[in-house]
Amino acid sequence: MEATANPLCRAHVLKFIEETRVVSESVLQVNNITPYHVTKFYREQIAKSGYYDQLKYIVEPSVEEFESPGTLDTSGEHDNTVVPGLQHKYPQTGLLLVTERCGSYCRYCFRKRIVGKASDEIAPDFDRVAKYIARHPEMTNVLLSGGDPFVLSTAKLNKILDHLLPINHLSSIRFGTKMLAYEPRRFEDSALPALFQRIHEAGKSPIIVTHFDHVGEISSDAEHEVRSLRSQGVQFLNQAVLLAKVNDDPKILAATFAKCHEIGVRPYYLFQARPVKGASHFQVTLGRGIEIARGVNQRLSGIEKTFKYIMSHYSGKIEILDLGHDGRVYMRYHQSKVPEKIGRIFSRPYVGAACWLDDLPEQ
Ligand code: SF4
């Protein structure tokens, strides 16, 4: 790295998967390139997993990030923010952004606009958040996200809970985290059992939503921590993202979901990757995604196939069901701001390269 007077002109020598490039700070900023950071644990895990050639794409930068078209807020997070840091898109759920940091930075992240940089979208005032939630009895659960809540200290998480636990109509507190893949030893913290106990004592369920995209990410340490947390009454769900070159293979995803099931983590969402600027090269077409989801279901037992293939769209969470013989993609709203839409099946004509609802013609 070479120092110059103008920080935006500072040059960085960066190692991409394809080549090493010299890139100025301003080019990194204009292209919204997420900082590079990977934990030692994850680097070692993917090296010994036998899947390095797939898993490297999760954390190693690619030159494709400069070319991938898209936008930075594909599901309308800004429009659904009701007080700084709190989104209220669906009546029952509050989404609370508690940090902009993560254990490592996923190259496909849909919150590239936030992670790894100072962001004003992180909740600055939990008292204000709690006042909003208290006025909304329809909200039954809050999801702590970001960034990754488990990069925060347990003391800081407890301070956030001080504001949430007195609210009677919240029945569960969810934590969305990839730390069980990136740094599972975070969960050895001797202060954590008391945090989960507090949630129980407040009459609420603690739920951890893990983020395993690939069976090679589920280390023996992660398995050990999940089993230990389950014995403390923590419920587990998993969300994964369907990623080109990483897990766009029914055998891999079936193995991932079967492993999750084995350790007591319920596969819950398989997300269609979003058309995010700098990350849309991870998208697979809807046609291929449907084929993969079908292949996964063919390989799993009835009790293991608990996942939904979901597009988290501006208009709601849309389950992608099938591509019919009539050439139409069949879908159903799993969640929507418009309650009448939920559960209704609808279809659009399929066009070959479509990766998102907006790529499908209306009629
Ligand atoms: S852990 Fe989640 S929020 Fe953080 S970079 Fe990965 S996908 Fe984004």
Side-chain angles (χ1 to χ4, degrees):
M1 192 187 300
E2 170 188 312
T4 63
N6 181 347
L8 288 177
C9 298
R10 190 183 302 144
H12 299 272
V13 180
L14 297 177
K15 216 171 145 221
F16 294 90
I17 288 173
E18 300 83 358
E19 64 189 34
T20 298
R21 278 191 189 180
V22 180
V23 189
S24 72
E25 184 63 36
S26 64
V27 169
L28 291 177
Q29 285 188 18
V30 165
N31 289 282
N32 216 57
I33 303 293
T34 305
Y36 174 66
H37 177 65
V38 191
T39 57
K40 182 168 175 282
F41 179 91
Y42 191 75
R43 207 179 296 127
E44 290 173 359
Q45 169 62 25
I46 64 175
K48 68 184 180 199
S49 69
Y51 295 107
Y52 179 77
D53 283 340
Q54 290 81 42
L55 292 172
K56 69 182 177 194
Y57 290 102
I58 289 188
V59 287
E60 298 295 332
S62 161
V63 294
E64 290 190 80
E65 294 177 30
F66 292 99
E67 309 297 334
S68 292
T71 56
L72 289 175
D73 182 6
T74 55
S75 45
E77 297 206 312
H78 182 261
D79 293 348
N80 291 301
T81 297
V82 285
V83 298
L86 180 70
Q87 297 171 33
H88 193 190
K89 184 170 184 179
Y90 309 121
Q92 302 84 358
T93 302
L95 173 65
L96 186 53
L97 301 183
V98 297
T99 176
E100 60 278 87
R101 289 181 298 119
C102 299
S104 307
Y105 292 113
C106 312
R107 306 316 299 181
Y108 59 81
C109 182
F110 76 93
R111 291 211 183 105
K112 275 179 180 286
R113 69 184 194 281
I114 296 176
V115 300
K117 55 187 76 160
S119 168
D120 59 5
E121 293 187 57
I122 304 305
D125 181 350
F126 293 105
D127 198 34
R128 207 171 146 198
V129 165
K131 282 191 177 121
Y132 176 90
I133 298 173
R135 289 198 309 273
H136 288 268
E138 72 279 15
M139 194 187 286
T140 56
N141 70 98
V142 170
L143 168 61
L144 272 60
S145 184
D148 194 314
F150 282 103
V151 299
L152 299 178
S153 68
T154 303
K156 173 74 182 170
L157 291 173
N158 266 310
K159 281 197 181 126
I160 297 171
L161 291 180
D162 288 345
H163 295 274
L164 301 179
L165 295 187
I167 304 172
N168 283 333
H169 57 263
L170 290 180
S171 60
S172 62
I173 305 289
R174 262 191 283 170
F175 300 87
T177 181
K178 199 169 168 72
M179 286 293 268
L180 279 147
Y182 285 150
E183 197 67 83
R185 291 166 193 158
R186 162 69 180 92
F187 296 89
E188 285 173 3
D189 179 358
S190 59
L192 272 180
L195 176 137
F196 294 119
Q197 187 57 28
R198 277 187 77 199
I199 300 175
H200 281 300
E201 282 169 6
K204 308 179 195 315
S205 302
I207 301 171
I208 289 182
V209 182
T210 57
H211 183 168
F212 295 122
D213 295 309
H214 192 293
V215 65
E217 292 184 305
I218 309 176
S219 61
S220 50
D221 294 75
E223 179 173 346
H224 173 79
E225 297 306 329
V226 168
R227 289 188 192 278
S228 157
L229 290 159
R230 285 184 58 224
S231 73
Q232 296 165 40
V234 179
Q235 294 179 41
F236 277 89
L237 303 167
N238 185 65
Q239 57 186 22
V241 186
L242 179 57
L243 299 164
K245 297 185 186 165
V246 176
N247 61 7
D248 52 345
D249 174 344
K251 284 194 291 303
I252 289 295
L253 278 176
T256 308
F257 296 163
K259 183 69 189 175
C260 282
H261 178 81
E262 181 195 317
I263 64 174
V265 176
R266 187 160 65 87
Y268 149 68
Y269 288 145
L270 171 63
F271 282 115
Q272 174 70 0
R274 307 177 201 209
V276 173
K277 179 171 159 40
S280 53
H281 57 286
F282 282 102
Q283 288 188 299
V284 299
T285 63
L286 290 170
R288 176 71 186 133
I290 288 166
E291 220 173 77
I292 292 168
R294 197 182 294 131
V296 176
N297 277 319
Q298 285 163 0
R299 286 169 170 82
L300 295 176
S301 71
I303 52 171
E304 290 168 331
K305 51 180 117 193
T306 51
F307 77 96
K308 290 180 189 299
Y309 176 30
I310 291 279
M311 178 158 43
S312 199
H313 187 255
Y314 184 88
S315 60
K317 278 205 172 72
I318 300 171
E319 185 177 2
I320 305 158
L321 298 171
D322 205 358
L323 178 55
H325 293 302
D326 55 1
R328 298 180 73 86
V329 184
Y330 285 81
M331 295 163 277
R332 167 168 58 198
Y333 274 95
H334 176 62
Q335 276 290 27
S336 170
K337 284 174 92 160
V338 185
E340 296 73 41
K341 282 190 173 180
I342 295 172
R344 299 199 78 117
I345 292 179
F346 67 103
S347 69
R348 295 258 183 110
Y350 183 60
V351 288
C355 295
W356 202 243
L357 182 67
D358 307 20
D359 301 334
L360 301 171
E362 300 249 348
Q363 285 309 318

